[in-house]
Amino acid sequence: MKEQDQVAGVFYQESIRAFASMKKLADKALAQAEDAHFYLTLDEESNSLEVLIKHMHGNMQSRWTDFLTTDGEKATRERDGEFEGQGQSRETLMSLWEEGWSVLFSALNALEDEDVLRIVQIRGEGHTVLQAIQRQVAHYGYHVGQIVLLCKHWASGQWQTLSIARGQSKQFKP
């Protein structure tokens, strides 16, 4: 096995781990949100949980469907509509959430080590598979952070920390 293929294999596994970690973090945050929280915004320019879920779902569907063979910005995507609240039920939103992640993980799991330097298109611009994956790691990390912030804000005093609780860091030092 060539060194490049070994690196590619490690890269894919680390990418899957990073996406799974993001999803787990957001899942734990969303589980703490009340149904009404899905439609609230901090102000007129902010997105709600509903909008963030719809946007991530639309992006995942577009980017990861036929990842290696078609442009990541599909002609059928209605991106502007992703940013409009429609009052979809929590169940519908969580179904969209799971569907988007399923498409992403299926695409990643189908990649071969030699694909890492293949060129894929996103909005007509060429990216190596490595670049395209890193682009989405950054994008989804950004939105997962927004989801966690909103869930924490709305839960307020009832929030259950997703990591090390304040004042508890010393317990984790070697």
Side-chain angles (χ1 to χ4, degrees), residues 20-170:
S21 177
M22 278 183 232
K23 182 181 183 305
K24 182 178 178 182
L25 192 66
D27 286 345
K28 287 181 175 182
L30 290 166
Q32 295 187 58
E34 295 177 14
D35 290 356
H37 295 158
F38 278 72
Y39 316 102
L40 300 174
T41 61
L42 296 175
D43 57 47
E44 302 85 38
E45 290 299 314
S46 297
N47 293 317
S48 65
L49 295 171
E50 175 191 28
V51 165
L52 290 167
I53 290 168
K54 286 174 46 185
H55 172 59
M56 287 183 71
H57 170 263
N59 183 278
M60 289 173 176
Q61 288 287 337
S62 190
R63 294 292 184 270
W64 299 102
T65 299
D66 302 323
F67 174 63
L68 293 174
T69 58
T70 63
D71 193 289
E73 188 67 20
K74 306 293 185 279
T76 56
R77 183 176 181 199
E78 296 291 337
R79 186 179 181 280
D80 290 338
E82 295 165 13
F83 292 94
E84 297 172 5
Q86 297 173 319
Q88 293 178 313
S89 71
R90 180 187 191 125
E91 293 76 23
T92 299
L93 293 169
M94 294 312 296
S95 179
L96 292 173
W97 178 254
E98 293 299 331
E99 182 181 283
W101 286 102
S102 178
V103 171
L104 176 150
F105 288 122
S106 292
L108 282 178
N109 285 316
L111 294 173
E112 302 288 336
D113 292 348
E114 59 269 11
D115 292 330
V116 74
L117 296 178
R118 280 183 65 174
I119 302 298
V120 296
Q121 300 292 312
I122 300 175
R123 295 183 180 142
E125 182 181 332
H127 296 71
T128 64
V129 166
L130 185 147
Q131 291 170 320
I133 291 172
Q134 285 303 292
R135 175 182 173 137
Q136 297 316 115
V137 166
H139 184 205
Y140 301 155
Y142 171 76
H143 289 311
V144 166
Q146 291 175 316
I147 288 169
V148 172
L149 174 87
L150 287 174
C151 291
K152 185 175 182 179
H153 176 77
W154 302 130
S156 190
Q158 285 72 47
W159 178 254
Q160 300 293 312
T161 188
L162 305 178
S163 61
I164 300 170
R166 289 184 185 187
Q168 305 299 311
S169 296
K170 290 181 183 177

